[in-house]
Amino acid sequence: MRTSFQTTSERRLDRDSFPMKLWEKAKKYGIWNPADIDFSQDAKDWQSLNDLEKEYMIRTISQFQAGEEAVTLDLLPLIMAIAQEGRLEEEMFLTTFLWEEAKHVDGFNLYIDAVLGSSREDLHHWLLPAYQEIFYKHLPEALNKLKTDPNAVNMVRASVTYNMIVEGVLAETGYYSLYKMIEANNIMPGLLKFVGKLKQDESRHIAYGIYLISRLVAENGDEVWDAVQDQMNLMMAPSMRLIQESYDLYDVLPFGLNLDEFNAYAMGQFQKRFKRLEKARNQNLAELGVVAMEEVI
Ligand code: FE2
Ligand code: FE2
């Protein structure tokens, strides 16, 4: 039974806390509307692509669309776990997190409808085995565990899978390849604008993940740090396979894309997050908030 409220007690809201700083940023930068983005030039640019470019583009977009749906559906158990612990500031930020994921689903959907029309084919065949392994199995499994057993080890495994791997490595590498396709070729201005906004949102999500994982390590010690390392390493193999599997289908890649470049980029993202987690290790809450804020763009 509830006996008091944080906001009416002397504790009040901790406005200096890292989650409240992220909350302020989300209120300022997360309020854009995907429906305001004009995809009409994108629809024209789509018509000018050759068959290989179209296939490659829609494969990438399908992976983003399904991925945004997955992270929207799978986040709730983490929010529940945080709310049950009474961490009001973190839950306030997480309401923006979930709302933003829903907007990303919305935006990719608007883009797909604009370029393919509403009579498009089923897109599931663009989601290959390693993609399925992560988004059908690892991600929902890791998050759903929090419904029944939200202990610190399960929480860091969920956050590593969601924030460090799916958002920090896979989505970041996906944006990089998308930029290579559209920015370098000066096409799809609507999509470019959308992905720019989305990247900003995602930087706050990843920053929260760095904060959450580091807080749990600081509070619980080596057992939780070992779980962080183990989960990072466990998820790395299917992640690299996911990046590889799309490229294996083609002898020559469209848009002048290069697999080695993406492998190196994904590895760089992985190492960047690992270094940041190591840097935040053994620091107090205020200090690790500073490290986590380095993620925010
Ligand atoms: Fe997203
Ligand atoms: Fe996200």
Side-chain angles (χ1 to χ4, degrees), residues 47 60 82 111 117 159 168 194 242-243 247 251 269-270 289 297:
Q47 297 303 327
T60 306
I82 293 295
Y111 172 80
S159 179
F194 171 57
L242 187 158
I243 292 161
Y247 296 91
D251 293 327
Q269 293 298 309
F270 180 81
I297 55 173

Side-chain angles (χ1 to χ4, degrees), residues 62-116:
S62 299
Q63 291 183 358
F64 270 118
Q65 173 76 90
E68 295 291 359
E69 178 176 328
V71 293
T72 303
L73 292 172
D74 293 340
L75 186 63
L76 273 172
L78 177 67
I79 303 182
M80 283 281 284
I82 293 295
Q84 273 165 9
E85 290 179 6
R87 297 183 188 274
L88 180 61
E89 293 87 350
E90 286 189 40
E91 193 197 340
M92 285 171 71
F93 168 69
L94 285 168
T95 64
T96 72
F97 190 139
L98 184 55
W99 186 60
E100 286 164 6
E101 297 302 9
K103 281 201 297 173
H104 302 166
V105 174
D106 183 18
F108 278 115
N109 212 253
L110 290 168
Y111 172 80
I112 290 174
D113 282 354
V115 299
L116 293 185

Side-chain angles (χ1 to χ4, degrees), residues 68 71 97 101 104 162-163 167 175 201-202 205-206:
E68 295 291 359
V71 293
F97 190 139
E101 297 302 9
H104 302 166
Y162 191 119
N163 305 115
E167 295 186 314
Y175 307 138
D201 292 350
E202 292 300 335
H205 303 174
I206 297 168

Side-chain angles (χ1 to χ4, degrees), residues 137-171:
K137 182 176 176 289
H138 291 302
L139 181 70
E141 261 180 20
L143 272 294
N144 282 327
K145 267 193 187 155
L146 304 182
K147 287 180 185 168
T148 49
D149 195 3
N151 63 45
V153 164
N154 285 344
M155 294 243 287
V156 292
R157 285 191 187 275
S159 179
V160 163
T161 307
Y162 191 119
N163 305 115
M164 299 299 103
I165 298 294
V166 168
E167 295 186 314
V169 176
L170 297 178

Side-chain angles (χ1 to χ4, degrees), residues 8 48 88 110 122 128 143 149 178 197 213 243:
T8 47
S48 69
L88 180 61
L110 290 168
D122 188 287
L128 299 174
L143 272 294
D149 195 3
L178 209 51
K197 293 284 189 193
I213 292 165
I243 292 161

